[in-house]
Amino acid sequence: MATGVAAVLTALKGRDYISSADCSADETGALLDLAHQLKSGNRRIDLGNRVLGLIFNKASTRTRVSFQVAMARLGGQTVDLNPSLTQLGRGEPLEDTARVLSRYCDVLAIRTFAQQEVVDYAHWSTVPVINALTDLEHPCQALADFLTMREVHGELVGQTLAYIGDGNNVAHSLMQCGALLGVNVRIGCPVGFEPLPGVLEQARSLSQNGAQIQVISDPAEAVNGAQAVYTDVWASMGQEQEQREREQAFKGFCVDQALMDQAATNAIVLHCLPAHRDEEISAEVMESDASRVFDQAENRLHVQQALLASVMGGL
Ligand code: CP
Ligand code: NVA
């Protein structure tokens, strides 16, 4: 199996991962396979002192630390650049920054607001660029989420993940990545908070093995019989001023025990974190036996280690 996985992932050398759609279905599955091998200790990869540059314009705990630890485990190092303390904060153009950092770093991971900014970094950089979250997508998160689901339920094809809440960056990546992996993804969201139509259309076009990608306004209907129930904050980073208004709009969309009772009996609970207990998820469900949120957070490390090794050609 290791040989087959390596053969598929060799094609990722030098490539960017800005969107889940940047990898084929086979490549996405192989990334999960390699992550599993790394996690179980069946595979060790030493890249020999490569350097990851982190450029984060938004707060982060999991993504920042998991990228740093992943790089350390690959025998490399990370430079964590706070953009406001670099010349970027004083107006140095992105196209110059990207070309300069490419001379020092072997890969860049970027967290920012506009997806276009990450696209621009990828255009100007001569090293691979990874999306560490934008307003549009969070592709590394989705890899960890589906690895977590596979660890519990096995083969992903034909399973159903219900995401309850805002049709945001996390929902977008779950739709795209789920489609590639053959997982049915149901987004249960209030009217007016649906995923972007273009992303929905794209996810449907990526669908493998008949995976259905649906948007449903009734949370109970969305969750019905699902193997995984997922939620995320109602107001994402950059939307803090909409918090109160969103609390009203999302009434009835809290993942609580009554909602979980509609899911499959062995359903797991997922949340990308950070969580707001008793808003989008009840404290009871968050701490229940069904909750896999900390496995999910751990899996960020393993999938990103697999991704870093692949784009740097270390297989
Ligand atoms: N889930 C996630 O991306 O967490 P951070 O914002 O802490 O990186
Ligand atoms: N949707 C959330 C995810 C945080 C990991 C945000 O963008 O703030």
Side-chain angles (χ1 to χ4, degrees):
M1 184 163 121
T3 319
V5 168
V8 174
L9 293 179
T10 302
L12 292 192
K13 182 179 178 182
R15 276 169 46 189
D16 304 310
Y17 193 61
I18 296 172
S19 167
S20 303
D22 287 340
C23 278
S24 69
D26 282 352
E27 289 164 350
T28 306
L31 281 172
L32 299 194
D33 290 342
L34 179 58
H36 170 73
Q37 290 167 8
L38 291 163
K39 183 176 184 177
S40 62
N42 291 334
R43 187 80 200 271
R44 294 185 78 83
I45 299 172
D46 189 341
L47 293 178
N49 208 25
R50 307 281 182 93
V51 177
L52 162 69
L54 293 182
I55 307 170
F56 279 27
N57 267 320
K58 290 180 176 180
S60 171
T61 299
R62 281 145 289 271
T63 309
R64 171 177 279 119
V65 178
S66 57
F67 265 117
Q68 288 176 332
V69 175
M71 213 47 206
R73 289 196 181 178
L74 291 167
Q77 302 181 43
T78 305
V79 223
D80 189 353
L81 296 153
N82 177 344
S84 63
L85 299 180
T86 67
Q87 298 289 7
L88 273 169
R90 296 179 56 253
E92 183 169 12
L94 180 156
E95 53 263 46
D96 295 351
T97 307
R99 282 178 285 183
V100 169
L101 293 179
S102 298
R103 301 291 178 103
Y104 306 137
C105 300
D106 300 285
V107 58
L108 299 174
I110 297 162
R111 168 169 287 203
T112 193
F113 294 87
Q115 179 81 357
Q116 186 60 44
E117 198 177 319
V118 183
V119 171
D120 291 342
Y121 267 105
H123 176 78
W124 290 103
S125 297
T126 53
V127 297
V129 170
I130 296 173
N131 181 347
L133 180 147
T134 62
D135 291 347
L136 191 69
E137 295 189 36
H138 198 2
C140 296
Q141 180 69 54
L143 289 174
D145 303 338
F146 287 111
L147 178 62
T148 311
M149 196 172 173
R150 201 177 74 170
E151 285 173 343
V152 178
H153 293 309
E155 172 56 51
L156 288 170
V157 170
Q159 291 192 35
T160 298
L161 178 143
Y163 170 97
I164 304 301
D166 186 25
N168 61 15
N169 45 9
V170 169
H172 287 162
S173 295
L174 288 169
M175 296 192 308
Q176 294 168 322
C177 194
L180 286 167
L181 293 166
V183 180
N184 303 310
V185 178
R186 298 190 202 133
I187 306 295
C189 56
V191 173
F193 294 91
E194 294 89 353
L196 289 176
V199 179
L200 177 63
E201 197 179 317
Q202 182 198 29
R204 286 178 172 157
S205 76
L206 295 172
S207 171
Q208 303 290 311
N209 296 96
Q212 291 197 347
I213 312 300
Q214 296 171 283
V215 179
I216 296 169
S217 58
D218 175 1
E221 186 186 337
V223 162
N224 185 30
Q227 283 77 35
V229 179
Y230 195 124
T231 190
D232 182 17
V233 293
W234 293 337
S236 285
M237 289 182 277
Q239 297 174 331
E240 289 80 3
Q241 73 291 352
E242 296 173 28
Q243 176 68 28
R244 295 287 158 259
E245 175 194 322
R246 283 171 174 260
E247 281 172 21
Q248 295 304 313
F250 285 86
K251 274 200 161 70
F253 285 78
C254 175
V255 174
D256 57 15
Q257 196 51 52
L259 193 60
M260 284 307 298
D261 290 343
Q262 310 296 313
T265 47
N266 61 349
I268 60 169
V269 175
L270 299 174
H271 192 310
C272 57
L273 305 179
H276 293 170
R277 283 171 173 76
D278 297 324
E279 270 183 42
E280 76 275 4
I281 187 166
S282 71
E284 181 192 12
V285 166
M286 176 90 179
E287 300 295 345
S288 67
D289 290 344
S291 175
R292 291 290 182 281
V293 300
F294 298 108
D295 294 331
Q296 189 184 357
E298 178 189 336
N299 285 338
R300 296 292 305 278
L301 168 62
H302 307 298
V303 297
Q304 286 159 202
Q305 201 178 331
L307 181 62
L308 287 166
S310 301
V311 299
M312 283 188 277
L315 302 177

